[in-house]
Amino acid sequence: KIGEITAEISKETAQIRKQHLKQSTAPVPDDCNFSLRKFRKRLLGKHQCLADAFRVLDLNVNEKIGPQEWGAMFRGSGLATFREARMSFELLDLNRDGSVTLAEFQAALEGVAEIQGIDGLRKRLVSFGYSKTMQVLEVIEASGVDPSRLLSLEEFSIALCRIHVVEPSEHQVIFDNVRDRGDPQSKASINELMSALGSVGPWMLLEDLADRARQKWGSVEATWAGLGPASGETISLQVFEKKLEKLGLNPTAAQKASRILDVDAGGELSRSELLSAMALSRPTLHMEDFRRKVQQRYRSIEAIFRESFEHMEDEELNNDDDMRLSCDEFSEILEALDFSRRETSYLFWLADANGAQRLTLYES
């Protein structure tokens, strides 16, 4: 849809250029050079991320932006001319219902963002609707490419076109990130590309499990009902693995998934452990930005909690009900790491998968 609308606007822009050149020898106005990529760059020049920009634009705070809100916000902001504001709204309103949602806003703008690394490729794939990284391998393999074979830049570029990455400059960037840069003659395989993608996203196995669970059960509660115990709050790993095999995982993958999910290595899986992992594996652009920020601060997060409660033993931290943190207490501890209140609340929600409204320090 973005491509179709852009083509229409390009024709209109060409006509304006011709008219302008006939009427005057002055420079062509900036709004004839409009692109979503430039618009995105301007937004990120004023806001930390696209989600923050959207919240500023959402004057009615109803999680969607209408044309009046859009026009009012851009008036005098320096972000866009009137014509650019109108163009951008039409491009971002993907389903043409007269409003722009956060999902549309992020999908369109991240979909046109220039890929400058593997994390940029990951976001491009999510914005294009890939529900799991393994779909990349499936699409490229279906075109007849052996994923283990080393490919030249030209061959690698053809494979990337299969997943809608078509710009030669982006092909070069991705190729250079995957191959051995120390050897100018080195090549790269699709398996190496998959490994690189795995390093910037969730565990591929958990991503696949989360995708299967979403397709079969949909909701969080239904997922726990389908994969959890008949009663109680924990399930043994052996029983859980049998349920994963029924969901389509082979025995080896089922065993590996259960070991990854069993964070405390207790031999049982809790509701909190499973549902938190499922939430963290969701392919959303908001989650991509949030995951990256948490990864960048992981060591600092661990250190600040240890520092806050270094006088206590591990057993006390786990079992003492008095030491359970509320969302406010959790947020206060993380303030020093440049997390906003919205972000700490989201992180608290992810960890508090059982809905207790309080976290043990171990869960934190």
Side-chain angles (χ1 to χ4, degrees):
K1 290 182 180 178
I2 292 174
E4 291 171 3
I5 299 169
T6 303
E8 293 174 12
I9 290 176
S10 296
K11 290 179 183 177
E12 184 182 348
T13 298
Q15 292 175 350
I16 292 172
R17 282 178 178 275
K18 289 178 182 178
Q19 292 173 3
H20 183 81
L21 290 171
K22 286 180 182 177
Q23 296 170 4
S24 170
T25 57
V28 178
D30 286 342
D31 58 5
C32 291
N33 297 314
F34 175 75
S35 75
L36 277 182
R37 184 170 286 179
K38 290 179 181 178
F39 178 61
R40 176 183 179 277
K41 189 174 181 180
R42 291 178 201 168
L43 285 174
L44 291 177
K46 292 199 171 189
H47 303 281
Q48 188 175 8
C49 64
L50 292 176
D52 288 346
F54 181 87
R55 294 184 189 104
V56 171
L57 294 168
D58 184 15
L59 301 178
N60 294 332
V61 198
N62 59 356
E63 298 186 356
K64 62 182 179 180
I65 303 171
Q68 290 184 333
E69 286 177 283
W70 191 262
M73 192 62 204
F74 282 104
R75 195 174 298 121
S77 68
L79 286 171
T81 65
F82 175 79
R83 175 179 168 74
E84 288 175 337
R86 180 178 67 81
M87 282 182 172
S88 59
F89 187 85
E90 291 177 358
L91 288 168
L92 296 173
D93 182 15
L94 299 180
N95 62 5
R96 314 303 280 274
D97 67 348
S99 64
V100 175
T101 64
L102 175 59
E104 288 176 318
F105 187 78
Q106 288 184 308
L109 291 175
E110 292 296 358
V112 298
E114 184 177 5
I115 295 174
Q116 297 179 329
I118 299 300
D119 55 340
L121 173 59
R122 163 83 187 173
K123 292 179 78 170
R124 172 78 65 84
L125 295 171
V126 172
S127 70
F128 281 0
Y130 283 76
S131 61
K132 56 184 178 180
T133 308
M134 287 304 295
Q135 282 181 300
V136 171
L137 183 62
E138 292 166 6
V139 170
I140 293 177
E141 272 193 307
S143 68
V145 177
D146 178 356
S148 63
R149 187 169 73 85
L150 291 174
L151 308 175
S152 66
L153 174 59
E154 183 179 357
E155 294 170 320
F156 197 79
S157 298
I158 293 171
L160 289 176
C161 286
R162 299 289 183 182
I163 55 172
H164 314 295
V165 179
V166 297
E167 295 185 39
S169 60
E170 295 181 337
H171 296 163
Q172 184 72 62
V173 167
I174 297 168
F175 187 73
D176 287 342
N177 271 270
V178 173
R179 71 185 180 94
D180 178 8
R181 293 193 187 188
D183 179 4
Q185 303 302 317
S186 65
K187 298 182 177 183
S189 70
I190 298 305
N191 281 343
E192 289 171 323
L193 173 64
M194 296 303 297
S195 295
L197 282 169
S199 71
V200 297
W203 286 82
M204 288 190 196
L205 182 55
L206 296 190
E207 199 177 39
D208 180 45
L209 172 57
D211 184 58
R212 291 171 185 267
R214 273 192 303 273
Q215 290 186 36
K216 185 172 180 63
W217 294 295
S219 72
V220 168
E221 292 300 328
T223 296
W224 179 244
L227 290 176
S231 61
E233 286 296 309
T234 61
I235 183 172
S236 72
L237 295 189
Q238 291 78 11
V239 174
F240 181 70
E241 287 161 16
K242 293 298 181 184
K243 293 197 173 192
L244 292 186
E245 290 176 32
K246 290 181 180 179
L247 192 59
L249 271 65
N250 63 53
T252 302
Q255 186 179 54
K256 185 175 179 180
S258 70
R259 297 298 184 269
I260 295 171
L261 290 166
D262 184 21
V263 178
D264 62 1
E268 293 184 325
L269 195 64
S270 69
R271 182 180 188 276
S272 177
E273 286 173 321
L274 175 63
L275 299 187
S276 291
M278 295 297 97
L280 284 166
S281 299
R282 288 188 302 173
T284 67
L285 288 166
H286 173 67
M287 180 61 74
E288 294 306 308
D289 288 332
F290 187 70
R291 184 187 294 112
R292 186 178 182 187
K293 188 169 184 177
V294 172
Q295 286 173 338
Q296 290 171 339
R297 293 163 173 76
Y298 174 75
R299 296 294 181 191
S300 300
I301 293 172
E302 184 179 28
I304 201 168
F305 274 105
R306 287 186 179 279
E307 182 181 335
S308 298
F309 301 95
E310 60 184 356
H311 61 286
M312 302 191 70
E313 298 292 335
D314 287 346
E315 189 174 342
E316 290 180 282
L317 296 181
N318 247 346
N319 300 323
D320 190 345
D321 286 340
D322 292 335
M323 292 309 301
R324 290 180 179 269
L325 297 173
S326 66
C327 185
D328 287 340
E329 292 167 330
F330 182 80
S331 299
E332 187 176 342
I333 291 173
L334 293 178
E335 274 181 3
L337 300 181
D338 193 31
F339 281 104
S340 69
R341 183 54 185 265
R342 182 186 294 272
E343 289 170 333
T344 54
S345 296
Y346 187 58
L347 190 56
F348 184 91
W349 173 78
L350 287 171
D352 185 32
N354 59 13
Q357 302 299 313
R358 297 185 76 82
L359 297 179
T360 65
L361 296 183
Y362 183 82
E363 289 173 320
S364 302

